[in-house]
PDB file of all heavy atoms in Angstrom:
ATOM      1  N   ARG A   1     124.409  92.022 152.926  1.00 74.00           N
ATOM      2  CA  ARG A   1     124.400  90.640 152.425  1.00 74.00           C
ATOM      3  C   ARG A   1     124.513  90.615 150.903  1.00 74.00           C
ATOM      4  O   ARG A   1     125.224  89.778 150.330  1.00 74.00           O
ATOM      5  CB  ARG A   1     123.122  89.923 152.873  1.00 74.00           C
ATOM      6  CG  ARG A   1     123.055  89.637 154.370  1.00 74.00           C
ATOM      7  CD  ARG A   1     121.975  88.600 154.677  1.00 74.00           C
ATOM      8  NE  ARG A   1     120.669  89.034 154.231  1.00 74.00           N
ATOM      9  CZ  ARG A   1     119.813  89.714 154.991  1.00 74.00           C
ATOM     10  NH1 ARG A   1     120.142  90.040 156.226  1.00 74.00           N
ATOM     11  NH2 ARG A   1     118.624  90.068 154.518  1.00 74.00           N
ATOM     12  N   LEU A   2     123.787  91.529 150.256  1.00 70.00           N
ATOM     13  CA  LEU A   2     123.829  91.579 148.797  1.00 70.00           C
ATOM     14  C   LEU A   2     125.225  91.963 148.295  1.00 70.00           C
ATOM     15  O   LEU A   2     125.712  91.397 147.310  1.00 70.00           O
ATOM     16  CB  LEU A   2     122.800  92.577 148.269  1.00 70.00           C
ATOM     17  CG  LEU A   2     121.332  92.153 148.389  1.00 70.00           C
ATOM     18  CD1 LEU A   2     120.419  93.286 147.968  1.00 70.00           C
ATOM     19  CD2 LEU A   2     121.052  90.916 147.529  1.00 70.00           C
ATOM     20  N   LYS A   3     125.873  92.913 148.988  1.00 71.00           N
ATOM     21  CA  LYS A   3     127.226  93.301 148.593  1.00 71.00           C
ATOM     22  C   LYS A   3     128.199  92.138 148.742  1.00 71.00           C
ATOM     23  O   LYS A   3     129.066  91.928 147.892  1.00 71.00           O
ATOM     24  CB  LYS A   3     127.692  94.497 149.430  1.00 71.00           C
ATOM     25  CG  LYS A   3     127.026  95.814 149.050  1.00 71.00           C
ATOM     26  CD  LYS A   3     127.580  96.964 149.871  1.00 71.00           C
ATOM     27  CE  LYS A   3     126.963  98.304 149.438  1.00 71.00           C
ATOM     28  NZ  LYS A   3     127.487  99.427 150.244  1.00 71.00           N
ATOM     29  N   ALA A   4     128.038  91.382 149.831  1.00 70.00           N
ATOM     30  CA  ALA A   4     128.899  90.215 150.031  1.00 70.00           C
ATOM     31  C   ALA A   4     128.652  89.175 148.940  1.00 70.00           C
ATOM     32  O   ALA A   4     129.594  88.548 148.431  1.00 70.00           O
ATOM     33  CB  ALA A   4     128.640  89.614 151.406  1.00 70.00           C
ATOM     34  N   ARG A   5     127.381  89.003 148.555  1.00 70.00           N
ATOM     35  CA  ARG A   5     127.049  88.044 147.501  1.00 70.00           C
ATOM     36  C   ARG A   5     127.611  88.495 146.150  1.00 70.00           C
ATOM     37  O   ARG A   5     128.117  87.670 145.374  1.00 70.00           O
ATOM     38  CB  ARG A   5     125.530  87.903 147.407  1.00 70.00           C
ATOM     39  CG  ARG A   5     125.044  86.924 146.337  1.00 70.00           C
ATOM     40  CD  ARG A   5     125.602  85.547 146.520  1.00 70.00           C
ATOM     41  NE  ARG A   5     125.082  84.618 145.544  1.00 70.00           N
ATOM     42  CZ  ARG A   5     125.615  83.443 145.256  1.00 70.00           C
ATOM     43  NH1 ARG A   5     126.719  83.043 145.889  1.00 70.00           N
ATOM     44  NH2 ARG A   5     125.064  82.657 144.356  1.00 70.00           N
ATOM     45  N   VAL A   6     127.534  89.807 145.891  1.00 66.00           N
ATOM     46  CA  VAL A   6     128.090  90.341 144.651  1.00 66.00           C
ATOM     47  C   VAL A   6     129.592  90.079 144.584  1.00 66.00           C
ATOM     48  O   VAL A   6     130.121  89.674 143.543  1.00 66.00           O
ATOM     49  CB  VAL A   6     127.803  91.857 144.543  1.00 66.00           C
ATOM     50  CG1 VAL A   6     128.643  92.494 143.446  1.00 66.00           C
ATOM     51  CG2 VAL A   6     126.332  92.097 144.258  1.00 66.00           C
ATOM     52  N   GLU A   7     130.282  90.308 145.692  1.00 69.00           N
ATOM     53  CA  GLU A   7     131.718  90.071 145.723  1.00 69.00           C
ATOM     54  C   GLU A   7     132.035  88.598 145.504  1.00 69.00           C
ATOM     55  O   GLU A   7     132.984  88.248 144.784  1.00 69.00           O
ATOM     56  CB  GLU A   7     132.291  90.543 147.070  1.00 69.00           C
ATOM     57  CG  GLU A   7     133.806  90.519 147.146  1.00 69.00           C
ATOM     58  CD  GLU A   7     134.465  91.427 146.127  1.00 69.00           C
ATOM     59  OE1 GLU A   7     133.852  92.449 145.766  1.00 69.00           O
ATOM     60  OE2 GLU A   7     135.589  91.113 145.695  1.00 69.00           O
ATOM     61  N   GLU A   8     131.223  87.724 146.108  1.00 70.00           N
ATOM     62  CA  GLU A   8     131.412  86.294 145.916  1.00 70.00           C
ATOM     63  C   GLU A   8     131.224  85.908 144.449  1.00 70.00           C
ATOM     64  O   GLU A   8     132.009  85.123 143.894  1.00 70.00           O
ATOM     65  CB  GLU A   8     130.414  85.536 146.801  1.00 70.00           C
ATOM     66  CG  GLU A   8     130.493  84.019 146.679  1.00 70.00           C
ATOM     67  CD  GLU A   8     129.430  83.316 147.497  1.00 70.00           C
ATOM     68  OE1 GLU A   8     128.794  83.981 148.345  1.00 70.00           O
ATOM     69  OE2 GLU A   8     129.223  82.114 147.286  1.00 70.00           O
ATOM     70  N   LEU A   9     130.185  86.451 143.820  1.00 67.00           N
ATOM     71  CA  LEU A   9     129.924  86.144 142.414  1.00 67.00           C
ATOM     72  C   LEU A   9     131.017  86.706 141.509  1.00 67.00           C
ATOM     73  O   LEU A   9     131.373  86.096 140.494  1.00 67.00           O
ATOM     74  CB  LEU A   9     128.562  86.699 141.993  1.00 67.00           C
ATOM     75  CG  LEU A   9     127.346  85.982 142.601  1.00 67.00           C
ATOM     76  CD1 LEU A   9     126.060  86.701 142.219  1.00 67.00           C
ATOM     77  CD2 LEU A   9     127.291  84.534 142.153  1.00 67.00           C
ATOM     78  N   ARG A  10     131.565  87.865 141.882  1.00 66.00           N
ATOM     79  CA  ARG A  10     132.654  88.420 141.090  1.00 66.00           C
ATOM     80  C   ARG A  10     133.880  87.510 141.127  1.00 66.00           C
ATOM     81  O   ARG A  10     134.555  87.312 140.101  1.00 66.00           O
ATOM     82  CB  ARG A  10     133.022  89.805 141.615  1.00 66.00           C
ATOM     83  CG  ARG A  10     132.058  90.902 141.168  1.00 66.00           C
ATOM     84  CD  ARG A  10     132.414  92.236 141.807  1.00 66.00           C
ATOM     85  NE  ARG A  10     131.526  93.289 141.325  1.00 66.00           N
ATOM     86  CZ  ARG A  10     131.456  94.489 141.882  1.00 66.00           C
ATOM     87  NH1 ARG A  10     132.212  94.789 142.933  1.00 66.00           N
ATOM     88  NH2 ARG A  10     130.629  95.399 141.382  1.00 66.00           N
ATOM     89  N   LEU A  11     134.174  86.963 142.297  1.00 69.00           N
ATOM     90  CA  LEU A  11     135.299  86.036 142.411  1.00 69.00           C
ATOM     91  C   LEU A  11     135.050  84.791 141.569  1.00 69.00           C
ATOM     92  O   LEU A  11     135.958  84.296 140.876  1.00 69.00           O
ATOM     93  CB  LEU A  11     135.519  85.651 143.877  1.00 69.00           C
ATOM     94  CG  LEU A  11     136.022  86.772 144.798  1.00 69.00           C
ATOM     95  CD1 LEU A  11     136.066  86.296 146.247  1.00 69.00           C
ATOM     96  CD2 LEU A  11     137.416  87.228 144.362  1.00 69.00           C
ATOM     97  N   GLN A  12     133.806  84.282 141.617  1.00 67.00           N
ATOM     98  CA  GLN A  12     133.472  83.118 140.793  1.00 67.00           C
ATOM     99  C   GLN A  12     133.591  83.444 139.309  1.00 67.00           C
ATOM    100  O   GLN A  12     134.069  82.624 138.521  1.00 67.00           O
ATOM    101  CB  GLN A  12     132.054  82.632 141.118  1.00 67.00           C
ATOM    102  CG  GLN A  12     131.911  82.033 142.510  1.00 67.00           C
ATOM    103  CD  GLN A  12     130.491  81.573 142.782  1.00 67.00           C
ATOM    104  OE1 GLN A  12     129.582  81.815 141.992  1.00 67.00           O
ATOM    105  NE2 GLN A  12     130.293  80.904 143.907  1.00 67.00           N
ATOM    106  N   ARG A  13     133.152  84.662 138.950  1.00 65.00           N
ATOM    107  CA  ARG A  13     133.258  85.067 137.555  1.00 65.00           C
ATOM    108  C   ARG A  13     134.709  85.111 137.107  1.00 65.00           C
ATOM    109  O   ARG A  13     135.055  84.644 136.012  1.00 65.00           O
ATOM    110  CB  ARG A  13     132.616  86.450 137.384  1.00 65.00           C
ATOM    111  CG  ARG A  13     132.689  87.006 135.969  1.00 65.00           C
ATOM    112  CD  ARG A  13     132.478  88.502 135.965  1.00 65.00           C
ATOM    113  NE  ARG A  13     133.503  89.186 136.738  1.00 65.00           N
ATOM    114  CZ  ARG A  13     133.445  90.475 137.051  1.00 65.00           C
ATOM    115  NH1 ARG A  13     132.415  91.204 136.676  1.00 65.00           N
ATOM    116  NH2 ARG A  13     134.420  91.035 137.752  1.00 65.00           N
ATOM    117  N   ASP A  14     135.581  85.693 137.953  1.00 65.00           N
ATOM    118  CA  ASP A  14     136.996  85.773 137.592  1.00 65.00           C
ATOM    119  C   ASP A  14     137.605  84.383 137.450  1.00 65.00           C
ATOM    120  O   ASP A  14     138.434  84.146 136.560  1.00 65.00           O
ATOM    121  CB  ASP A  14     137.752  86.576 138.650  1.00 65.00           C
ATOM    122  CG  ASP A  14     137.338  88.047 138.677  1.00 65.00           C
ATOM    123  OD1 ASP A  14     136.755  88.504 137.666  1.00 65.00           O
ATOM    124  OD2 ASP A  14     137.577  88.707 139.694  1.00 65.00           O
ATOM    125  N   GLU A  15     137.209  83.464 138.330  1.00 67.00           N
ATOM    126  CA  GLU A  15     137.709  82.092 138.230  1.00 67.00           C
ATOM    127  C   GLU A  15     137.233  81.439 136.931  1.00 67.00           C
ATOM    128  O   GLU A  15     137.990  80.731 136.256  1.00 67.00           O
ATOM    129  CB  GLU A  15     137.242  81.274 139.438  1.00 67.00           C
ATOM    130  CG  GLU A  15     137.887  81.701 140.754  1.00 67.00           C
ATOM    131  CD  GLU A  15     137.326  80.933 141.942  1.00 67.00           C
ATOM    132  OE1 GLU A  15     136.422  80.095 141.718  1.00 67.00           O
ATOM    133  OE2 GLU A  15     137.774  81.177 143.074  1.00 67.00           O
ATOM    134  N   LEU A  16     135.954  81.694 136.582  1.00 66.00           N
ATOM    135  CA  LEU A  16     135.411  81.125 135.345  1.00 66.00           C
ATOM    136  C   LEU A  16     136.132  81.684 134.121  1.00 66.00           C
ATOM    137  O   LEU A  16     136.443  80.944 133.183  1.00 66.00           O
ATOM    138  CB  LEU A  16     133.919  81.422 135.249  1.00 66.00           C
ATOM    139  CG  LEU A  16     133.018  80.666 136.239  1.00 66.00           C
ATOM    140  CD1 LEU A  16     131.593  81.166 136.123  1.00 66.00           C
ATOM    141  CD2 LEU A  16     133.062  79.182 135.991  1.00 66.00           C
ATOM    142  N   ARG A  17     136.394  82.972 134.148  1.00 63.00           N
ATOM    143  CA  ARG A  17     137.094  83.569 133.020  1.00 63.00           C
ATOM    144  C   ARG A  17     138.490  82.982 132.869  1.00 63.00           C
ATOM    145  O   ARG A  17     138.964  82.737 131.750  1.00 63.00           O
ATOM    146  CB  ARG A  17     137.181  85.084 133.206  1.00 63.00           C
ATOM    147  CG  ARG A  17     135.874  85.812 132.925  1.00 63.00           C
ATOM    148  CD  ARG A  17     136.013  87.302 133.175  1.00 63.00           C
ATOM    149  NE  ARG A  17     134.794  88.006 132.795  1.00 63.00           N
ATOM    150  CZ  ARG A  17     134.594  89.304 133.030  1.00 63.00           C
ATOM    151  NH1 ARG A  17     135.527  90.010 133.652  1.00 63.00           N
ATOM    152  NH2 ARG A  17     133.466  89.880 132.642  1.00 63.00           N
ATOM    153  N   ALA A  18     139.156  82.761 134.004  1.00 66.00           N
ATOM    154  CA  ALA A  18     140.492  82.165 133.956  1.00 66.00           C
ATOM    155  C   ALA A  18     140.435  80.755 133.370  1.00 66.00           C
ATOM    156  O   ALA A  18     141.298  80.354 132.587  1.00 66.00           O
ATOM    157  CB  ALA A  18     141.100  82.138 135.362  1.00 66.00           C
ATOM    158  N   LYS A  19     139.385  79.994 133.752  1.00 65.00           N
ATOM    159  CA  LYS A  19     139.236  78.638 133.215  1.00 65.00           C
ATOM    160  C   LYS A  19     138.973  78.674 131.712  1.00 65.00           C
ATOM    161  O   LYS A  19     139.521  77.880 130.951  1.00 65.00           O
ATOM    162  CB  LYS A  19     138.089  77.913 133.933  1.00 65.00           C
ATOM    163  CG  LYS A  19     138.397  77.531 135.364  1.00 65.00           C
ATOM    164  CD  LYS A  19     137.210  76.811 135.994  1.00 65.00           C
ATOM    165  CE  LYS A  19     137.501  76.419 137.433  1.00 65.00           C
ATOM    166  NZ  LYS A  19     136.338  75.727 138.060  1.00 65.00           N
ATOM    167  N   VAL A  20     138.120  79.613 131.290  1.00 60.00           N
ATOM    168  CA  VAL A  20     137.818  79.733 129.861  1.00 60.00           C
ATOM    169  C   VAL A  20     139.077  80.084 129.081  1.00 60.00           C
ATOM    170  O   VAL A  20     139.368  79.504 128.029  1.00 60.00           O
ATOM    171  CB  VAL A  20     136.718  80.792 129.625  1.00 60.00           C
ATOM    172  CG1 VAL A  20     136.585  81.098 128.141  1.00 60.00           C
ATOM    173  CG2 VAL A  20     135.392  80.302 130.164  1.00 60.00           C
ATOM    174  N   ASP A  21     139.837  81.058 129.598  1.00 63.00           N
ATOM    175  CA  ASP A  21     141.068  81.458 128.910  1.00 63.00           C
ATOM    176  C   ASP A  21     142.030  80.285 128.795  1.00 63.00           C
ATOM    177  O   ASP A  21     142.656  80.075 127.745  1.00 63.00           O
ATOM    178  CB  ASP A  21     141.736  82.609 129.665  1.00 63.00           C
ATOM    179  CG  ASP A  21     140.936  83.902 129.580  1.00 63.00           C
ATOM    180  OD1 ASP A  21     140.128  84.027 128.633  1.00 63.00           O
ATOM    181  OD2 ASP A  21     141.114  84.768 130.450  1.00 63.00           O
ATOM    182  N   LEU A  22     142.154  79.505 129.875  1.00 66.00           N
ATOM    183  CA  LEU A  22     143.055  78.359 129.858  1.00 66.00           C
ATOM    184  C   LEU A  22     142.597  77.312 128.854  1.00 66.00           C
ATOM    185  O   LEU A  22     143.406  76.769 128.079  1.00 66.00           O
ATOM    186  CB  LEU A  22     143.138  77.744 131.264  1.00 66.00           C
ATOM    187  CG  LEU A  22     144.030  76.501 131.411  1.00 66.00           C
ATOM    188  CD1 LEU A  22     145.468  76.846 131.027  1.00 66.00           C
ATOM    189  CD2 LEU A  22     143.958  75.957 132.833  1.00 66.00           C
ATOM    190  N   GLN A  23     141.286  77.034 128.834  1.00 60.00           N
ATOM    191  CA  GLN A  23     140.773  76.030 127.900  1.00 60.00           C
ATOM    192  C   GLN A  23     140.898  76.495 126.457  1.00 60.00           C
ATOM    193  O   GLN A  23     141.190  75.706 125.567  1.00 60.00           O
ATOM    194  CB  GLN A  23     139.306  75.716 128.235  1.00 60.00           C
ATOM    195  CG  GLN A  23     139.149  74.918 129.526  1.00 60.00           C
ATOM    196  CD  GLN A  23     137.698  74.667 129.868  1.00 60.00           C
ATOM    197  OE1 GLN A  23     136.811  75.332 129.355  1.00 60.00           O
ATOM    198  NE2 GLN A  23     137.452  73.704 130.744  1.00 60.00           N
ATOM    199  N   GLU A  24     140.691  77.812 126.227  1.00 57.00           N
ATOM    200  CA  GLU A  24     140.852  78.319 124.871  1.00 57.00           C
ATOM    201  C   GLU A  24     142.294  78.191 124.401  1.00 57.00           C
ATOM    202  O   GLU A  24     142.562  77.856 123.245  1.00 57.00           O
ATOM    203  CB  GLU A  24     140.386  79.777 124.802  1.00 57.00           C
ATOM    204  CG  GLU A  24     138.877  79.930 124.854  1.00 57.00           C
ATOM    205  CD  GLU A  24     138.456  81.378 124.736  1.00 57.00           C
ATOM    206  OE1 GLU A  24     139.341  82.259 124.849  1.00 57.00           O
ATOM    207  OE2 GLU A  24     137.265  81.627 124.520  1.00 57.00           O
ATOM    208  N   LYS A  25     143.242  78.460 125.309  1.00 62.00           N
ATOM    209  CA  LYS A  25     144.647  78.322 124.940  1.00 62.00           C
ATOM    210  C   LYS A  25     144.988  76.862 124.640  1.00 62.00           C
ATOM    211  O   LYS A  25     145.760  76.575 123.717  1.00 62.00           O
ATOM    212  CB  LYS A  25     145.532  78.847 126.074  1.00 62.00           C
ATOM    213  CG  LYS A  25     145.480  80.359 126.237  1.00 62.00           C
ATOM    214  CD  LYS A  25     146.328  80.826 127.414  1.00 62.00           C
ATOM    215  CE  LYS A  25     146.245  82.341 127.581  1.00 62.00           C
ATOM    216  NZ  LYS A  25     147.028  82.810 128.749  1.00 62.00           N
ATOM    217  N   GLN A  26     144.415  75.950 125.426  1.00 61.00           N
ATOM    218  CA  GLN A  26     144.657  74.529 125.178  1.00 61.00           C
ATOM    219  C   GLN A  26     144.077  74.107 123.826  1.00 61.00           C
ATOM    220  O   GLN A  26     144.695  73.358 123.075  1.00 61.00           O
ATOM    221  CB  GLN A  26     144.042  73.691 126.300  1.00 61.00           C
ATOM    222  CG  GLN A  26     144.770  73.834 127.631  1.00 61.00           C
ATOM    223  CD  GLN A  26     144.064  73.103 128.751  1.00 61.00           C
ATOM    224  OE1 GLN A  26     142.887  72.731 128.621  1.00 61.00           O
ATOM    225  NE2 GLN A  26     144.766  72.889 129.856  1.00 61.00           N
ATOM    226  N   LEU A  27     142.862  74.620 123.531  1.00 53.00           N
ATOM    227  CA  LEU A  27     142.242  74.292 122.245  1.00 53.00           C
ATOM    228  C   LEU A  27     143.034  74.874 121.082  1.00 53.00           C
ATOM    229  O   LEU A  27     143.208  74.240 120.044  1.00 53.00           O
ATOM    230  CB  LEU A  27     140.801  74.813 122.207  1.00 53.00           C
ATOM    231  CG  LEU A  27     139.807  74.063 123.116  1.00 53.00           C
ATOM    232  CD1 LEU A  27     138.492  74.826 123.174  1.00 53.00           C
ATOM    233  CD2 LEU A  27     139.579  72.653 122.628  1.00 53.00           C
ATOM    234  N   GLU A  28     143.536  76.100 121.254  1.00 56.00           N
ATOM    235  CA  GLU A  28     144.349  76.698 120.202  1.00 56.00           C
ATOM    236  C   GLU A  28     145.640  75.916 119.996  1.00 56.00           C
ATOM    237  O   GLU A  28     146.112  75.747 118.872  1.00 56.00           O
ATOM    238  CB  GLU A  28     144.659  78.157 120.567  1.00 56.00           C
ATOM    239  CG  GLU A  28     143.451  79.077 120.499  1.00 56.00           C
ATOM    240  CD  GLU A  28     143.766  80.470 121.015  1.00 56.00           C
ATOM    241  OE1 GLU A  28     144.933  80.679 121.445  1.00 56.00           O
ATOM    242  OE2 GLU A  28     142.862  81.320 120.999  1.00 56.00           O
ATOM    243  N   LYS A  29     146.213  75.424 121.109  1.00 60.00           N
ATOM    244  CA  LYS A  29     147.434  74.644 121.017  1.00 60.00           C
ATOM    245  C   LYS A  29     147.188  73.340 120.285  1.00 60.00           C
ATOM    246  O   LYS A  29     147.981  72.903 119.444  1.00 60.00           O
ATOM    247  CB  LYS A  29     147.973  74.365 122.424  1.00 60.00           C
ATOM    248  CG  LYS A  29     149.323  73.656 122.441  1.00 60.00           C
ATOM    249  CD  LYS A  29     149.832  73.489 123.863  1.00 60.00           C
ATOM    250  CE  LYS A  29     151.184  72.771 123.866  1.00 60.00           C
ATOM    251  NZ  LYS A  29     151.684  72.594 125.252  1.00 60.00           N
ATOM    252  N   GLU A  30     146.045  72.700 120.591  1.00 54.00           N
ATOM    253  CA  GLU A  30     145.703  71.465 119.899  1.00 54.00           C
ATOM    254  C   GLU A  30     145.469  71.718 118.421  1.00 54.00           C
ATOM    255  O   GLU A  30     145.867  70.932 117.565  1.00 54.00           O
ATOM    256  CB  GLU A  30     144.445  70.840 120.521  1.00 54.00           C
ATOM    257  CG  GLU A  30     144.667  70.341 121.943  1.00 54.00           C
ATOM    258  CD  GLU A  30     143.367  69.867 122.577  1.00 54.00           C
ATOM    259  OE1 GLU A  30     142.349  69.838 121.852  1.00 54.00           O
ATOM    260  OE2 GLU A  30     143.375  69.533 123.772  1.00 54.00           O
ATOM    261  N   GLY A  31     144.803  72.870 118.101  1.00 52.00           N
ATOM    262  CA  GLY A  31     144.563  73.191 116.708  1.00 52.00           C
ATOM    263  C   GLY A  31     145.844  73.505 115.964  1.00 52.00           C
ATOM    264  O   GLY A  31     145.973  73.235 114.773  1.00 52.00           O
ATOM    265  N   ALA A  32     146.836  74.072 116.688  1.00 50.00           N
ATOM    266  CA  ALA A  32     148.084  74.441 116.045  1.00 50.00           C
ATOM    267  C   ALA A  32     148.905  73.225 115.649  1.00 50.00           C
ATOM    268  O   ALA A  32     149.771  73.299 114.791  1.00 50.00           O
ATOM    269  CB  ALA A  32     148.898  75.340 116.975  1.00 50.00           C
ATOM    270  N   THR A  33     148.676  72.086 116.300  1.00 49.00           N
ATOM    271  CA  THR A  33     149.436  70.876 115.982  1.00 49.00           C
ATOM    272  C   THR A  33     148.960  70.234 114.692  1.00 49.00           C
ATOM    273  O   THR A  33     149.589  69.309 114.183  1.00 49.00           O
ATOM    274  CB  THR A  33     149.327  69.856 117.137  1.00 49.00           C
ATOM    275  OG1 THR A  33     147.954  69.509 117.306  1.00 49.00           O
ATOM    276  CG2 THR A  33     149.874  70.442 118.426  1.00 49.00           C
ATOM    277  N   THR A  34     147.818  70.692 114.195  1.00 48.00           N
ATOM    278  CA  THR A  34     147.274  70.136 112.961  1.00 48.00           C
ATOM    279  C   THR A  34     147.526  71.098 111.810  1.00 48.00           C
ATOM    280  O   THR A  34     147.301  72.297 111.934  1.00 48.00           O
ATOM    281  CB  THR A  34     145.758  69.896 113.103  1.00 48.00           C
ATOM    282  OG1 THR A  34     145.539  69.045 114.213  1.00 48.00           O
ATOM    283  CG2 THR A  34     145.200  69.239 111.846  1.00 48.00           C
ATOM    284  N   ASP A  35     148.003  70.569 110.702  1.00 48.00           N
ATOM    285  CA  ASP A  35     148.237  71.394 109.518  1.00 48.00           C
ATOM    286  C   ASP A  35     146.905  71.895 108.989  1.00 48.00           C
ATOM    287  O   ASP A  35     146.049  71.096 108.607  1.00 48.00           O
ATOM    288  CB  ASP A  35     148.952  70.558 108.456  1.00 48.00           C
ATOM    289  CG  ASP A  35     149.349  71.409 107.244  1.00 48.00           C
ATOM    290  OD1 ASP A  35     148.958  72.595 107.208  1.00 48.00           O
ATOM    291  OD2 ASP A  35     150.029  70.882 106.358  1.00 48.00           O
ATOM    292  N   PRO A  36     146.686  73.219 108.971  1.00 45.00           N
ATOM    293  CA  PRO A  36     145.395  73.750 108.508  1.00 45.00           C
ATOM    294  C   PRO A  36     145.033  73.274 107.115  1.00 45.00           C
ATOM    295  O   PRO A  36     143.860  73.109 106.796  1.00 45.00           O
ATOM    296  CB  PRO A  36     145.615  75.276 108.545  1.00 45.00           C
ATOM    297  CG  PRO A  36     146.711  75.486 109.539  1.00 45.00           C
ATOM    298  CD  PRO A  36     147.600  74.284 109.389  1.00 45.00           C
ATOM    299  N   ALA A  37     146.063  73.063 106.262  1.00 49.00           N
ATOM    300  CA  ALA A  37     145.772  72.627 104.906  1.00 49.00           C
ATOM    301  C   ALA A  37     145.221  71.207 104.867  1.00 49.00           C
ATOM    302  O   ALA A  37     144.532  70.815 103.931  1.00 49.00           O
ATOM    303  CB  ALA A  37     147.043  72.705 104.055  1.00 49.00           C
ATOM    304  N   GLN A  38     145.575  70.407 105.911  1.00 54.00           N
ATOM    305  CA  GLN A  38     145.123  69.023 105.961  1.00 54.00           C
ATOM    306  C   GLN A  38     143.875  68.837 106.813  1.00 54.00           C
ATOM    307  O   GLN A  38     143.343  67.731 106.904  1.00 54.00           O
ATOM    308  CB  GLN A  38     146.244  68.136 106.510  1.00 54.00           C
ATOM    309  CG  GLN A  38     147.505  68.131 105.642  1.00 54.00           C
ATOM    310  CD  GLN A  38     148.615  67.293 106.250  1.00 54.00           C
ATOM    311  OE1 GLN A  38     148.472  66.795 107.365  1.00 54.00           O
ATOM    312  NE2 GLN A  38     149.706  67.115 105.506  1.00 54.00           N
TER     313      GLN A  38
END
């Protein structure tokens, strides 16, 4: 049961990491549209 739970949590972790990466890319894209000097 514990091994099955670990595998489930690993899948959730991978999904979370994918979401974080996607949101970071979106934030970087939004930041890139603004002139850093301004």
Side-chain angles (χ1 to χ4, degrees):
R1 291 196 301 269
L2 289 174
K3 287 183 177 179
R5 180 57 177 163
V6 167
E7 188 61 30
E8 179 184 347
L9 290 175
R10 282 176 177 168
L11 292 174
Q12 292 180 353
R13 179 199 61 190
D14 293 341
E15 291 176 359
L16 290 174
R17 284 178 175 173
K19 289 180 180 179
V20 170
D21 291 338
L22 179 60
Q23 289 178 342
E24 286 182 348
K25 290 178 181 178
Q26 290 174 344
L27 289 170
E28 290 174 359
K29 185 177 180 180
E30 293 174 6
T33 61
T34 303
D35 186 354
Q38 298 177 355

